[in-house]
PDB file of all heavy atoms in Angstrom:
ATOM      1  N   HIS B  71      19.443 -10.789   8.936  1.00 96.00           N
ATOM      2  CA  HIS B  71      20.469 -10.089   8.184  1.00 96.00           C
ATOM      3  C   HIS B  71      20.741 -10.850   6.897  1.00 96.00           C
ATOM      4  O   HIS B  71      20.962 -12.066   6.896  1.00 96.00           O
ATOM      5  CB  HIS B  71      21.753  -9.975   9.017  1.00 96.00           C
ATOM      6  CG  HIS B  71      22.832  -9.221   8.321  1.00 96.00           C
ATOM      7  ND1 HIS B  71      23.797  -9.856   7.555  1.00 96.00           N
ATOM      8  CD2 HIS B  71      23.112  -7.901   8.255  1.00 96.00           C
ATOM      9  CE1 HIS B  71      24.613  -8.949   7.052  1.00 96.00           C
ATOM     10  NE2 HIS B  71      24.229  -7.757   7.469  1.00 96.00           N
ATOM     11  N   LEU B  72      20.746 -10.117   5.813  1.00 96.00           N
ATOM     12  CA  LEU B  72      20.964 -10.676   4.480  1.00 96.00           C
ATOM     13  C   LEU B  72      22.106  -9.911   3.822  1.00 96.00           C
ATOM     14  O   LEU B  72      22.210  -8.693   3.998  1.00 96.00           O
ATOM     15  CB  LEU B  72      19.698 -10.516   3.646  1.00 96.00           C
ATOM     16  CG  LEU B  72      19.680 -11.063   2.226  1.00 96.00           C
ATOM     17  CD1 LEU B  72      19.572 -12.576   2.248  1.00 96.00           C
ATOM     18  CD2 LEU B  72      18.502 -10.466   1.455  1.00 96.00           C
ATOM     19  N   SER B  73      22.957 -10.612   3.118  1.00 97.00           N
ATOM     20  CA  SER B  73      24.016  -9.912   2.389  1.00 97.00           C
ATOM     21  C   SER B  73      24.152 -10.474   0.977  1.00 97.00           C
ATOM     22  O   SER B  73      23.814 -11.626   0.713  1.00 97.00           O
ATOM     23  CB  SER B  73      25.360 -10.001   3.120  1.00 97.00           C
ATOM     24  OG  SER B  73      25.851 -11.321   3.098  1.00 97.00           O
ATOM     25  N   LEU B  74      24.640  -9.617   0.101  1.00 98.00           N
ATOM     26  CA  LEU B  74      24.923 -10.005  -1.278  1.00 98.00           C
ATOM     27  C   LEU B  74      26.377  -9.690  -1.552  1.00 98.00           C
ATOM     28  O   LEU B  74      26.810  -8.547  -1.405  1.00 98.00           O
ATOM     29  CB  LEU B  74      24.043  -9.214  -2.257  1.00 98.00           C
ATOM     30  CG  LEU B  74      24.357  -9.419  -3.748  1.00 98.00           C
ATOM     31  CD1 LEU B  74      23.970 -10.824  -4.184  1.00 98.00           C
ATOM     32  CD2 LEU B  74      23.619  -8.375  -4.598  1.00 98.00           C
ATOM     33  N   ARG B  75      27.134 -10.705  -1.910  1.00 98.00           N
ATOM     34  CA  ARG B  75      28.531 -10.518  -2.261  1.00 98.00           C
ATOM     35  C   ARG B  75      28.683 -10.692  -3.771  1.00 98.00           C
ATOM     36  O   ARG B  75      28.237 -11.684  -4.338  1.00 98.00           O
ATOM     37  CB  ARG B  75      29.430 -11.519  -1.520  1.00 98.00           C
ATOM     38  CG  ARG B  75      30.904 -11.406  -1.859  1.00 98.00           C
ATOM     39  CD  ARG B  75      31.719 -12.381  -1.008  1.00 98.00           C
ATOM     40  NE  ARG B  75      33.144 -12.298  -1.302  1.00 98.00           N
ATOM     41  CZ  ARG B  75      33.772 -13.041  -2.217  1.00 98.00           C
ATOM     42  NH1 ARG B  75      33.092 -13.926  -2.921  1.00 98.00           N
ATOM     43  NH2 ARG B  75      35.058 -12.901  -2.422  1.00 98.00           N
ATOM     44  N   ILE B  76      29.306  -9.699  -4.394  1.00 98.00           N
ATOM     45  CA  ILE B  76      29.598  -9.763  -5.818  1.00 98.00           C
ATOM     46  C   ILE B  76      31.106  -9.910  -5.954  1.00 98.00           C
ATOM     47  O   ILE B  76      31.865  -9.006  -5.573  1.00 98.00           O
ATOM     48  CB  ILE B  76      29.123  -8.498  -6.560  1.00 98.00           C
ATOM     49  CG1 ILE B  76      27.635  -8.242  -6.294  1.00 98.00           C
ATOM     50  CG2 ILE B  76      29.378  -8.632  -8.064  1.00 98.00           C
ATOM     51  CD1 ILE B  76      27.136  -6.916  -6.840  1.00 98.00           C
ATOM     52  N   ALA B  77      31.533 -11.040  -6.479  1.00 98.00           N
ATOM     53  CA  ALA B  77      32.968 -11.266  -6.661  1.00 98.00           C
ATOM     54  C   ALA B  77      33.433 -10.588  -7.951  1.00 98.00           C
ATOM     55  O   ALA B  77      32.669 -10.441  -8.909  1.00 98.00           O
ATOM     56  CB  ALA B  77      33.259 -12.757  -6.718  1.00 98.00           C
ATOM     57  N   ASP B  78      34.703 -10.160  -7.941  1.00 97.00           N
ATOM     58  CA  ASP B  78      35.310  -9.581  -9.141  1.00 97.00           C
ATOM     59  C   ASP B  78      34.389  -8.516  -9.752  1.00 97.00           C
ATOM     60  O   ASP B  78      33.957  -8.608 -10.908  1.00 97.00           O
ATOM     61  CB  ASP B  78      35.593 -10.693 -10.161  1.00 97.00           C
ATOM     62  CG  ASP B  78      36.366 -10.209 -11.376  1.00 97.00           C
ATOM     63  OD1 ASP B  78      37.086  -9.184 -11.248  1.00 97.00           O
ATOM     64  OD2 ASP B  78      36.238 -10.822 -12.453  1.00 97.00           O
ATOM     65  N   THR B  79      34.072  -7.518  -8.955  1.00 98.00           N
ATOM     66  CA  THR B  79      33.113  -6.490  -9.370  1.00 98.00           C
ATOM     67  C   THR B  79      33.600  -5.760 -10.615  1.00 98.00           C
ATOM     68  O   THR B  79      34.768  -5.364 -10.702  1.00 98.00           O
ATOM     69  CB  THR B  79      32.891  -5.488  -8.225  1.00 98.00           C
ATOM     70  OG1 THR B  79      32.660  -6.194  -7.015  1.00 98.00           O
ATOM     71  CG2 THR B  79      31.686  -4.615  -8.515  1.00 98.00           C
ATOM     72  N   GLN B  80      32.687  -5.566 -11.555  1.00 97.00           N
ATOM     73  CA  GLN B  80      32.996  -4.896 -12.817  1.00 97.00           C
ATOM     74  C   GLN B  80      32.242  -3.572 -12.916  1.00 97.00           C
ATOM     75  O   GLN B  80      31.256  -3.347 -12.206  1.00 97.00           O
ATOM     76  CB  GLN B  80      32.602  -5.800 -13.992  1.00 97.00           C
ATOM     77  CG  GLN B  80      33.290  -7.160 -13.981  1.00 97.00           C
ATOM     78  CD  GLN B  80      34.791  -7.028 -14.108  1.00 97.00           C
ATOM     79  OE1 GLN B  80      35.289  -6.367 -15.026  1.00 97.00           O
ATOM     80  NE2 GLN B  80      35.525  -7.650 -13.179  1.00 97.00           N
TER      81      GLN B  80
END
Side-chain angles (χ1 to χ4, degrees):
Chain B
H71 182 267
L72 182 74
S73 68
L74 173 69
R75 179 176 180 269
I76 305 172
D78 186 25
T79 312
Q80 302 297 308

